[in-house]
Amino acid sequence: MRQSRLSDHNDTSSSLGDFSVTIRMMIPGPVEAEDNVLAAIGSQTQPHYGAQWVELHSKTTSHLKRLFNTQHDVLLMPGAGTLAIESALTSLVPRGNSIVVLNNGFFGNRTAQMIEACGIHTLQVKAPWGQPFDPDDVRSQLKEMLPQAEADGHAAVAMAIIHHETSTGMLNSLPEMTAIAKEFGLAVIVDAVASLGGVPMKMDEWNIDVCVSVANKCIGAPPGIAVIGVSPHAWELIEANPSKHGWYLDLRTWHWHMQNWGDWHPTPSTISSNNVAALLTALENIESKGFEKHFESIEWAADCLREGMAELGFHLFPDPAHAAPIISAMKRRPDINSADFRDYLLQVHNLMIAGGLGELKADVIRVGHMGRAKEPEYIEALLEATRAYLDEMDLPYSIYPKSR
Ligand SMILES: *Cc1c(COP(=O)(O)O)cnc(C)c1O
């Protein structure tokens, strides 16, 4: 039996039991927040309306506009990224029309499922998991698909793109793909859930119409708030959308409150002041360091971890030229069981990394470089724990000496 570090803490008197033990998270979100962010979320709850609130709310959206690189609207919606994506899809696109989904991973698949579940058709352009889209291939597929969809009575209105496909660690090229969408007259909806705050985003320059993210991945705050950037073109489409998929998720509702209640009650319903205060603090941390330096610290963590893990026989899963620095998705060494390895890291070293998603479940391990996980102590701890695991299993450090 492995000696579990978690059990050392069982004498806690808190009713949280084991939950009170902090797991060191090196997963693709949520992330461990900085101390001042945790202090902010622990401060007394404030009303979600009134002059003081409007100031805090608008400070937060101002920071986000700089992070999105947009001159236009950014709104805060309580909930997970998935909720905000559903809100974007259904607000923009009428029932019965189509959305083109660029699908090269688990979240591409999920977006297609969500679209279908909302009564909208999907037109899927696929690339193998971990591989980039070939622009010429996307163009030629659209040339066939779009007229056919129109002839069938469900014309395509938008393209959905996953920026950082977290299942494979791939960063899809937004400038290339959004340019293609615009050539074909499609609005662009981007899932930037796992990229905003991790790599540069240029929402206006890249012609993105709706861009969705969350507080709890690269921005480094606890979960609870989704953030949505909306272009003027998107507002036109949203206001003209004849379908109503509901009231709360309809961005028209949020737009109306921004415009008519913005000076005292900017959201239609309660939003956690605690979560917004934490989000604001995390954004201030990033800006006080500087965007460049912040992005560089993520790249540095990814480089160190990848170099160290390559020496131990773990190599990147995605095409390295298209790998996001935000997580490292690595192929399992063929001589280890990835579930056993992850269990060892958690039980013995209190370190949590992620396995693969979907078809990659057993064959890929994923390490996040967001939040505190990008700090040198975390990287060193994971490399040391990996060496210790190989020692315990009596395996050599490298199975591919010198070369890949
Ligand atoms: C995490 C993630 C999501 C889901 O976000 P939730 O907040 O868990 O709903 C969606 N897309 C991508 C690319 C993600 O990494």
Side-chain angles (χ1 to χ4, degrees), residues 135-186:
D136 291 334
D137 177 52
V138 175
R139 277 193 189 88
S140 72
Q141 291 204 45
L142 291 180
K143 268 181 200 147
E144 294 221 343
M145 281 175 176
L146 298 185
Q148 188 59 49
E150 190 155 3
D152 294 345
H154 38 85
V157 173
M159 177 185 275
I161 310 171
I162 315 299
H163 189 202
H164 173 205
E165 175 52 81
T166 337
S167 61
T168 63
M170 266 256 341
L171 198 63
N172 286 310
S173 170
L174 286 181
E176 268 179 3
M177 297 303 129
T178 57
I180 296 174
K182 293 295 155 177
E183 282 168 32
F184 288 87
L186 299 171

Side-chain angles (χ1 to χ4, degrees), residues 29-106:
V31 299
E32 286 177 53
E34 304 282 339
D35 290 342
N36 64 347
V37 174
L38 296 177
I41 205 170
S43 58
Q44 190 52 269
T45 299
Q46 298 296 305
H48 58 279
Y49 51 85
Q52 206 179 309
W53 176 249
V54 166
E55 194 186 327
L56 190 94
H57 185 271
S58 88
K59 246 192 193 170
T60 310
T61 54
S62 300
H63 277 286
L64 285 165
K65 284 179 194 184
R66 290 192 287 276
L67 201 53
F68 274 112
N69 257 308
T70 183
Q71 305 290 324
H72 307 298
D73 293 328
V74 170
L75 53 96
L76 309 182
M77 185 182 275
T82 307
L83 172 119
I85 294 167
E86 188 157 320
S87 166
L89 299 168
T90 55
S91 297
L92 205 77
V93 180
R95 236 184 235 111
N97 279 85
S98 303
I99 300 177
V100 175
V101 183
L102 299 188
N103 179 355
N104 60 351
F106 176 89

Side-chain angles (χ1 to χ4, degrees), residues 35 138 140 152-153 188 208 247 252 292 310 323 366:
D35 290 342
V138 175
S140 72
D152 294 345
V188 174
I208 297 168
W247 190 85
R252 272 178 287 209
E292 284 290 300
R366 297 177 305 141

Side-chain angles (χ1 to χ4, degrees), residues 76-80 83 224-226 248 254 267 269-272:
L76 309 182
M77 185 182 275
L83 172 119
I225 307 278
Y248 183 84
W254 296 73
T267 55
S269 59
T270 308
I271 183 163
S272 157

Side-chain angles (χ1 to χ4, degrees), residues 281-303:
T281 307
L283 290 164
E284 284 171 349
N285 286 349
I286 294 175
E287 272 204 57
S288 66
K289 195 167 162 190
F291 290 142
E292 284 290 300
K293 279 231 165 67
H294 171 74
F295 295 141
E296 276 167 19
S297 66
I298 296 173
E299 282 168 26
W300 177 87
D303 288 348

Side-chain angles (χ1 to χ4, degrees), residues 80-82 107 162 164 166 191 193-194 214 217:
T82 307
F107 288 102
I162 315 299
H164 173 205
T166 337
D191 169 350
V193 171
V214 293
K217 289 195 177 175

